[in-house]
Amino acid sequence: MPLPAIPRRVKIGDAAAFAGTTPRAIRHYHAIGLLAEPERGSDDRRRYGYDDMIRLLWIRRMADAGISLDDIQTAFQGTTGIEQSLARLEESLASKAAAIEAQRAAVNRLREVGSPLGLLSPLVTGRLRDLPPGALRSTDLDTLLVTERIFGPLGAAIQADRFIVLASHSELRAEEDRLTEAEAALDDTMSPDDPRIEDLAAQRCDHETALAAAIERSGLDEALNVLLDREDEHADEEEGGARMSVMEAIGKMPYDFSPARVRYEERVIELFHSADQDGDTDPRTC
C-alpha cells in the first residue's frame, strides 16, 4: 500500500497550512527570534524540517490558548515567569465573553497539568494526566501533538493507550526504544530493497501486536469503546486552523524519511493490512 509523497522539508506555504497559520505570521516569528529561520536553498527559498514544524505547532497551540508571544518566548526559555503570565492571562480571560471560553479552558488545563500535555485536547489530557511524572516523554507529546493535528482529539486519545502501556511495561518500552533506534538507522545509505527492511517491519508488527494485547489486558480498550460511543460529542472539537484531509496533512508534515524508511513504513502498513484480513492483529495499533 503506497504512501503519498512524504516531503523531507517543506516550503513556508505548506508549513503554514499544516500549522494552521500564515506565512506572514511565520516570518514574524523569525523576526522576533521565536522560531529559528532555516537556511535558504539554492532557489533562495526557506524550507522547514520536522524540528521546525514541532516548534511551530507548539507556538500555534500556545498562541491559540491566548498566551502572548513574549510569554511564549519566556516559556521556551524555561524561566519561572510563565506561571505569573498565565495567572494574569486567566484573570483577563475570565472577564471576557463566551467567545474566548475555549482559550480560558486551555490555559486552566495547562496550569493544572503543569506540562505541555495541558495544551492538548481535554480528551487526551484526561486520558494521560494520571501517569507518573516523567512517564510521558517529550517525544511522546510531540507525537500526540502531530496526531491530534492530523486525526483530531479522538485519534490522539486512542493513540494515548500506547503511551499508557509503554509507561507501565518496561519490557515493551525497551522494545519500542530499540525499534525506534533501528528505524532511525534506515538512512540514505541503505537501499529500499535491503532485506533487513522486511525483517524490521515484521518486528514492528510483532511489537504493535504485543502492545495491542497489553492494552486489551489492561482494560484500556473498554475505555476506548466509551470514547468511540461519545465520538459525536467531540465532532466539533476542532483545533486552531481549518481541518484538512488526512492525506493532505501527511503531505505537509516533513519527516526527512529516506527511500529505505518510506519502503519500511509501507511494508509495516501492508503487513498490518494482511494480518487484519486474517484476523490476527488489532488494526488500532497500525
Side-chain angles (χ1 to χ4, degrees), residues 218-234:
S218 67
L220 289 170
D221 58 332
E222 296 178 5
L224 172 63
N225 289 334
V226 174
L227 284 179
L228 292 174
D229 290 340
R230 296 175 179 173
E231 181 175 2
D232 290 341
E233 298 177 17
H234 302 281

Side-chain angles (χ1 to χ4, degrees), residues 31-131:
I32 64 175
L34 191 56
L35 179 68
E37 183 174 351
E39 295 183 1
R40 295 178 183 269
S42 58
D43 59 355
D44 201 36
R45 293 177 179 270
R46 304 183 188 93
R47 282 183 167 79
Y48 298 78
Y50 178 82
D51 290 341
D52 300 316
M53 293 299 294
I54 290 297
R55 176 92 167 193
L56 181 58
L57 284 170
W58 283 125
I59 290 171
R60 288 307 312 158
R61 192 55 63 94
M62 285 188 272
D64 289 342
I67 302 173
S68 71
L69 295 183
D70 287 342
D71 290 336
I72 292 174
Q73 186 77 273
T74 299
F76 280 134
Q77 291 170 353
T79 59
T80 57
I82 186 63
E83 176 58 31
Q84 296 178 350
S85 299
L86 288 172
R88 292 194 302 270
L89 178 60
E90 183 180 12
E91 292 176 359
S92 174
L93 293 175
S95 66
K96 295 181 181 179
I100 62 167
E101 187 59 30
Q103 289 184 344
R104 184 167 177 241
V107 172
N108 285 335
R109 287 201 310 275
L110 175 60
R111 296 187 65 193
E112 181 180 359
V113 175
S115 80
L117 175 62
L119 288 170
L120 299 180
S121 70
L123 270 176
V124 180
T125 301
R127 206 151 174 76
L128 295 169
R129 68 193 312 160
D130 292 331
L131 286 180

Side-chain angles (χ1 to χ4, degrees), residues 12-33:
I12 191 170
D14 287 335
F18 183 83
T21 186
T22 64
R24 181 179 179 181
I26 292 177
R27 293 188 185 98
H28 181 60
Y29 300 155
H30 292 325
I32 64 175

